[in-house]
Amino acid sequence: SAVISQKPSRDICQRGTSLTIQCQVDSQVTMMFWYRQQPGQSLTLIATANQGSEATYESGFVIDKFPISRPNLTFSTLTVSNMSPEDSSIYLCSVESANYGYTFGSGTRLTVV
Amino acid sequence: GQQLNQSPQSMFIQEGEDVSMNCTSSSIFNTWLWYKQDPGEGPVLLIALYKAGELTSNGRLTAQFGITRKDSFLNISASIPSDVGIYFCAGQLGGNKLVFGAGTILRVKS
């Protein structure tokens, strides 16, 4: 499968601050996605990261809260802005490729205190 | 929005037993996927199903894409302790987006 490196793997942040999560893929992929997994819950799609244009957000998620960059076909960032304890979750990068289907990174475990 | 109903929520079985879990939906999906997630890790793809009626195996795992395209099941034969984890079904709609089930927590008694 495509190898995805996600950083940081975990962080503890103060409320009101922002955290940027990086996702690096070892090959060029067309589709990159960002998911949130709240404690003990399933995965919910936040947005599709589009290369060279604004991300496409799902219902309930907005750009001001979760700005996303996709400067090229192997890299994307997700920022969690103005954090509150309710943002404590695992954030996962995912890619879709013709060869390997849908692959996930190991996630970023975020705790907001 | 679209929802997947995954059952059971959790299972506690003896080592060596067979396991079955399934997902149903009111929506038609183009693709069904089954993932396993271990603690502290992202989901790992187990089986992908692309055609209605398709039956696919991966070692001790077998999964089927329902004829109606609204359901799928995953079977694990002769379970072993390392099978513990959370299993998720996911359905792909048009536009490459995935919708996930709530997950099945599998615990195995050795």
Side-chain angles (χ1 to χ4, degrees):
Chain A
S1 61
V3 177
I4 302 173
S5 300
Q6 199 172 325
K7 296 180 183 178
S9 59
R10 58 177 63 232
D11 208 342
I12 301 173
C13 300
Q14 296 289 327
R15 67 179 69 199
T17 63
S18 298
L19 176 71
T20 295
I21 302 167
Q22 299 181 357
C23 179
Q24 178 74 54
V25 191
D26 68 343
S27 58
Q28 293 186 340
V29 293
T30 305
M31 307 298 294
M32 292 183 78
F33 307 92
W34 287 98
Y35 286 82
R36 182 176 71 183
Q37 187 176 26
Q38 294 177 301
Q41 302 295 314
S42 186
L43 286 78
T44 301
L45 181 63
I46 297 172
T48 303
N50 300 309
Q51 195 264 328
S53 64
E54 193 172 284
T56 305
Y57 289 85
E58 298 300 304
S59 176
F61 298 96
V62 295
I63 188 171
D64 289 347
K65 177 66 176 177
F66 297 103
I68 288 171
S69 79
R70 177 92 190 269
N72 56 53
L73 293 177
T74 64
F75 186 78
S76 178
T77 67
L78 168 75
T79 299
V80 186
S81 302
N82 188 25
M83 289 183 283
S84 66
E86 291 72 33
D87 294 320
S88 297
S89 291
I90 300 172
Y91 293 86
L92 294 145
C93 171
S94 173
V95 304
E96 196 269 336
S97 65
N99 291 335
Y100 304 114
Y102 290 89
T103 307
F104 284 83
S106 56
T108 296
R109 186 177 296 270
L110 171 63
T111 303
V112 184
V113 298
Chain B
Q2 294 81 9
Q3 283 190 320
L4 294 184
N5 301 308
Q6 185 171 349
S7 64
Q9 281 188 322
S10 65
M11 308 179 71
F12 196 24
I13 62 170
Q14 286 278 27
E15 183 178 354
E17 286 184 347
D18 296 344
V19 173
S20 184
M21 60 192 79
N22 69 85
C23 277
T24 61
S25 175
S26 58
S27 300
I28 292 175
F29 290 97
N30 299 326
T31 301
W32 280 94
L33 305 168
W34 285 93
Y35 287 88
K36 182 185 179 219
Q37 186 176 29
D38 292 324
E41 299 293 329
V44 174
L45 182 64
L46 299 174
I47 291 181
L49 303 159
Y50 300 104
K51 292 183 188 176
E54 180 181 352
L55 183 70
T56 297
S57 292
N58 178 8
R60 294 179 294 107
L61 307 178
T62 302
Q64 184 158 31
F65 193 147
I67 287 289
T68 64
R69 294 168 62 193
K70 294 182 179 181
D71 63 301
S72 178
F73 71 74
L74 174 71
N75 288 341
I76 305 173
S77 63
S79 58
I80 59 178
S82 62
D83 288 334
V84 300
I86 306 176
Y87 292 80
F88 291 101
C89 64
Q92 183 203 347
L93 303 164
N96 301 96
K97 294 195 289 189
L98 295 183
V99 176
F100 280 80
T104 296
I105 301 172
L106 181 62
R107 301 180 179 92
V108 179
K109 291 183 281 189
S110 55

